[in-house]
Amino acid sequence: MTTFAVIVPLVWLAWLIVTEWVPMFPLNDLTKGNVRGRVLAAAINYPFPLLIAAGLALHQTWSLITATALCVLIMAGHLQSWWLPYFGVSTEAQREVYRRDYGRTLKILPTEGHDVVIDVQHLVVGVLSLIMLATTLVVTLTA
């Protein structure tokens, strides 16, 4: 299970890199106008899965607790960035960013009555985040 748990954050990171830098419209909508935001997001997000994978690989109590805490932060960030706005808890600034950067991307969730709708790209991020948290918790709790 530890090996699988180490691989999941790396898959999460690979998904982010591919969907944030390889044009695959309508899965993503990469424009020159959002390069600065993508660079900032990369600088913030990319170290997390590397730290989680390293913490799991070290398999020390402190590193497993740290990896778990980072997974919780990622999940909380995903919920705050996507699910709360989907259910109506968003600011005008968030809605504008979503309209500008994700308004044309592929969505499978109902859009009617929602100012922000989670696109497929970020649904996959959410599923991978949940798997990452679950596997990290299993490894941490069974250590």
Side-chain angles (χ1 to χ4, degrees):
M1 179 56 110
T2 300
T3 302
F4 181 70
V6 169
I7 291 170
V8 172
L10 301 177
V11 170
W12 187 89
L13 176 59
W15 175 259
L16 286 184
I17 291 170
V18 168
T19 58
E20 290 174 354
W21 299 104
V22 178
M24 296 179 288
F25 187 80
L27 182 63
N28 59 15
D29 190 9
L30 306 183
T31 64
K32 291 180 191 224
N34 64 16
V35 170
R36 175 185 269 183
R38 290 183 303 174
V39 169
L40 178 60
I44 293 168
N45 292 323
Y46 293 3
F48 281 89
L50 297 173
L51 292 169
I52 292 165
L56 291 164
L58 283 173
H59 207 74
Q60 301 293 312
T61 302
W62 67 269
S63 68
L64 295 173
I65 291 170
T66 302
T68 302
L70 292 174
C71 285
V72 168
L73 287 174
I74 287 171
M75 201 70 232
H78 181 74
L79 292 171
Q80 187 273 331
S81 296
W82 289 101
W83 288 100
L84 288 177
Y86 180 70
F87 289 111
V89 183
S90 63
T91 64
E92 180 55 40
Q94 283 178 310
R95 291 188 295 274
E96 176 54 35
V97 168
Y98 295 132
R99 279 190 290 272
R100 184 186 66 231
D101 293 342
Y102 307 107
R104 301 180 333 130
T105 56
L106 181 63
K107 295 164 185 67
I108 59 174
L109 292 176
T111 58
E112 184 140 352
H114 298 280
D115 292 328
V116 173
V117 179
I118 306 159
D119 58 3
V120 170
Q121 172 187 358
H122 290 92
L123 279 174
V124 173
V125 169
V127 168
L128 290 172
S129 298
L130 196 55
I131 293 169
M132 186 167 56
L133 176 59
T135 57
T136 300
L137 278 171
V138 167
V139 170
T140 300
L141 295 173
T142 59

